[in-house]
């Protein structure tokens, strides 16, 4: 997986996540999350979590990054970095894992990070083994 992202690139993406997370709208949980997605063309798309008083309408940073990428013409995820204030590197929730899997192949890398810039690398299949897929 390190071949997908050098140490310098990983650190750069974590910094971008930490910067964009400042724009998160998290007045209820206080848990601000930032995400940066890199598609196979090398383009970057950002997302933050956006909470709602009707909690079920809250949208995670990862899904917002995917939505921005799709709107920008993304076809496939190469890397996705997510960062939040947590003791250990934060991983996407189950709903985000399923959405990520829709646009990722087996080589896609997820970088989970925290404010201390500790990180862990995952493949999508690590986070969502035997994930649900429909073949069009």
């Amino acid at each position: 997986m390190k071949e997908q992202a050098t140490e310098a690139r990983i650190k750069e993406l974590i910094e971008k996540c930490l910067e964009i997370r400042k724009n998160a709208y998290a007045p209820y949980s206080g848990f601000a999350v930032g995400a940066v997605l890199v598609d196979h063309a090398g383009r970057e798309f950002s997302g933050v979590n956006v909470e709602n008083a009707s909690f079920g309408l809250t949208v995670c940073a990862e899904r917002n990054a995917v939505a921005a990428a799709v709107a920008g013409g993304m076809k496939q995820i190469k890397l996705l970095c997510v960062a939040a204030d947590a003791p250990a590197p934060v991983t996407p929730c189950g709903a985000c894992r399923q959405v990520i899997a829709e646009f990722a192949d087996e080589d896609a890398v997820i970088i989970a990070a925290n404010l201390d810039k500790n990180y862990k690398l995952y493949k999508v299949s690590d986070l969502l083994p035997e994930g649900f897929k429909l073949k069009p």
Side-chain angles (χ1 to χ4, degrees):
M1 277 189 287
K2 279 278 196 183
E3 310 83 56
Q4 286 286 94
T6 64
E7 188 73 22
R9 182 66 168 142
I10 291 167
K11 289 181 178 187
E12 175 190 3
L13 289 170
I14 292 170
E15 287 294 337
K16 288 179 178 186
C17 282
L18 295 176
E19 186 61 31
I20 194 68
R21 77 178 276 281
K22 294 175 185 175
N23 296 331
Y25 181 74
Y28 306 106
S29 72
F31 191 71
V33 182
V36 176
L37 181 154
V38 180
D39 72 3
H40 271 70
R43 298 176 303 165
E44 294 181 7
F45 302 91
S46 300
V48 296
N49 57 319
V50 179
E51 294 182 348
N52 190 279
S54 177
F55 296 142
L57 299 179
T58 294
V59 183
C60 299
E62 301 92 323
R63 282 183 279 151
N64 278 328
V66 170
V70 170
M74 182 268 301
K75 301 295 181 213
Q76 196 168 39
I77 295 170
K78 179 177 180 179
L79 297 164
L80 191 139
C81 184
V82 59
D85 186 4
V90 67
T91 59
C93 74
C96 287
R97 292 174 191 207
Q98 183 63 49
V99 170
I100 292 164
E102 183 76 17
F103 296 97
D105 64 18
E106 60 190 39
D107 296 325
V109 175
I110 308 300
I111 305 164
N114 66 8
L115 296 189
D116 294 328
K117 301 177 188 168
N118 295 320
Y119 71 89
K120 188 168 179 184
L121 302 179
Y122 296 93
K123 287 186 173 184
V124 174
S125 60
D126 296 332
L127 296 176
L128 189 67
E130 299 183 40
F132 180 75
K133 291 251 185 185
L134 286 178
K135 301 291 181 193

